[in-house]
Structures are given as C-alpha cells and as structure tokens.
Amino acid sequence: MTVEFVLKYYFILIISFLLIYFLGHFIFSIACRKKEKNFLFHKLTIGLITLPTLFAIYNSMGITVLVINVALAMFFINFKKQNNKPGSGNLKIQFLTFDNGLAPALIALTLLYLSHLTLIFSIVDGGHIILISDYAYYSRTAGYLRDFGIENRNIEYILSEKGGVTAYHYLELWLAACLSKVFNIHSQYALVLITYCLIYTGIYTGAVYLNRELKKNHNKSIVWTDYVLGLCIFLVSVFKFLYPSNIDILKTDVW
C-alpha cells in the first residue's frame, strides 16, 4: 500500500459518492418538489439502488433480478407526485437545494474508507492480507457479473452445473461490478474500498434521519448531537459485540 494508492482510491470513492448523490438528487427533485434540506438519506438510497440497477439491466441485457426495481421506482415517483400539489415546488430551485449533512457524511465516508483499508492491507507493513472468505467470494462474483453479466451463485468455471440465482447481495455486487468496470479497478477494491463504504455511509445518514424524526415534535433544530447519535445507532448495528447476540430478536447486523 502506497500513498498514491490510498489517494487514488479515495478520489474514486469521492467521485462515486457524488455520482450516487446527484443521481438520487435529480430523481428525487423530479418526484418530490419540496424545498427542504433533510433528504440526504432518501437521495443516497435512491442513487445506491438506481445506479447498479441501470448497470445490471444494461450488462445483462435485461435478464437480472434487479429489473423489479424499475417497477418500484415508477410506483415511488407516481406516489410522490400524487402526494404533492401541482406546482408546489420549482424543479430548478429544488435541484439547486442541497441537503444538510453532506459534510458529516463525507467525514463518515472517509473514516469508513480508512477502516476498510485495513481489511486488505496490513497496518504493520502495508502488505496485502488475505480477504475473509465472504468478501473474497463476493468480489469474485462481482467480477463475474462485470465480465459476463450472468447472475449465478456458482462462478467456478470448471464446474458444469450452475447454482442458479438468488437475490441476496446482488445489489451490492452489481454496484461493485459497475464501479469496477467504470473505473477499471479490481473487483476486490471496488467491493471493499468503494461499495461497502458507500452503503455504510448511506446507512449512517439513515441513522441521522431516524434521530431527527424521533425528536422532530420536540426540537426541529439541527445540532451536532444529531450526527453523534446517528453514529451511535450506526455503530450499534455494525459491531455485533455491542449488543447481546444470544437474544433472537437482536441477532442482526447493519444489513
């Protein structure tokens, strides 16, 4: 691991984050004409779903489990339009209104990136380390989607029988495949250093939004504690040692 490597992939991460945000920002501006600045979580979620869906449809020639997202998107846009008065907002003004929390989200994104570097490189000498088995398999699957556009659990070329398709993880895998192809980077880096950081940052903004929703009837002001409490919610969901896993209802994680 070199300084050039760290800066290169951090730059790719920031570009990917802005691409996803502005994609969600554009779609949300069309669907919801409200001049508010508290929709960062919504827009990141829309962007994180839309980008891999479009790439999956293109790269698989329409044969993908993500195609159902198109119908859900049409339903969402229609629902939002029906629940907004005609002419209640100006599209240009809405598109030029950016959301609160972008700076904290970028800070969270940076911290996640630095932490995810330790999953690939040793913090002692900077050398490569072996990925955990799940991440290694997912990155290979993302590479398979990128190269062949076929959703398949069994990506071993030497095996004749294929494993069929399951929807689990395909959103993140298609996103990793998309970023790997667009930026011409290894699927391991696209998955671990870019995709997971983007998804976790989206979840963090959701924790911030949840905190604001819970307190909005008492105090509508936006203060730094929103982001701190959002971080606490996020950390509780990510790190399993922070909650009792022996209780069935609490056996969960960030997903």
Side-chain angles (χ1 to χ4, degrees), residues 71-136:
L72 294 176
M74 294 299 101
F75 174 81
F76 167 76
I77 293 175
N78 183 63
F79 175 80
K80 283 297 183 181
K81 285 184 176 181
Q82 289 181 353
N83 285 272
N84 283 278
K85 296 179 181 179
S88 60
N90 183 283
L91 178 59
K92 183 178 180 180
I93 295 176
Q94 171 68 14
F95 188 70
L96 294 177
T97 302
F98 300 110
D99 296 88
N100 292 314
L102 273 174
L106 287 171
I107 293 174
L109 185 71
T110 302
L111 294 176
L112 285 164
Y113 173 69
L114 294 175
S115 67
H116 277 69
L117 281 171
T118 63
L119 298 176
I120 297 181
F121 299 100
S122 169
I123 59 176
V124 177
D125 57 12
H128 277 83
I129 60 177
I130 299 175
L131 276 180
I132 62 174
S133 58
D134 277 357
Y135 288 177

Side-chain angles (χ1 to χ4, degrees), residues 15-177:
I15 294 298
S16 302
F17 175 83
L18 294 176
L19 173 62
I20 285 171
Y21 171 72
F22 280 110
L23 179 60
H25 183 61
F26 176 73
I27 295 174
F28 194 83
S29 297
I30 295 175
C32 184
R33 304 286 184 87
K34 290 184 178 181
K35 190 180 178 182
E36 292 187 28
K37 298 183 178 181
N38 194 27
F39 288 130
L40 180 60
F41 168 65
H42 303 68
K43 295 173 182 178
L44 287 179
T45 301
I46 293 170
L48 284 167
I49 293 174
T50 302
L51 182 61
T53 297
L54 294 177
F55 179 76
I57 292 173
Y58 166 77
N59 213 44
S60 68
M61 294 184 290
I63 307 175
T64 169
V65 295
L66 298 191
V67 74
I68 189 63
N69 289 337
V70 176
L72 294 176
M74 294 299 101
F75 174 81
F76 167 76
I77 293 175
N78 183 63
F79 175 80
K80 283 297 183 181
K81 285 184 176 181
Q82 289 181 353
N83 285 272
N84 283 278
K85 296 179 181 179
S88 60
N90 183 283
L91 178 59
K92 183 178 180 180
I93 295 176
Q94 171 68 14
F95 188 70
L96 294 177
T97 302
F98 300 110
D99 296 88
N100 292 314
L102 273 174
L106 287 171
I107 293 174
L109 185 71
T110 302
L111 294 176
L112 285 164
Y113 173 69
L114 294 175
S115 67
H116 277 69
L117 281 171
T118 63
L119 298 176
I120 297 181
F121 299 100
S122 169
I123 59 176
V124 177
D125 57 12
H128 277 83
I129 60 177
I130 299 175
L131 276 180
I132 62 174
S133 58
D134 277 357
Y135 288 177
Y137 171 72
Y138 296 151
S139 63
R140 288 164 55 219
T141 306
Y144 188 88
L145 293 174
R146 176 199 62 209
D147 296 336
F148 300 100
I150 300 174
E151 292 167 342
N152 196 333
R153 296 197 312 274
N154 185 359
I155 58 173
E156 300 296 342
Y157 303 99
I158 61 173
L159 300 179
S160 58
E161 291 188 9
K162 298 301 180 183
V165 176
T166 55
Y168 185 53
H169 281 302
Y170 268 115
L171 186 73
E172 68 192 82
L173 297 182
W174 271 116
L175 180 56

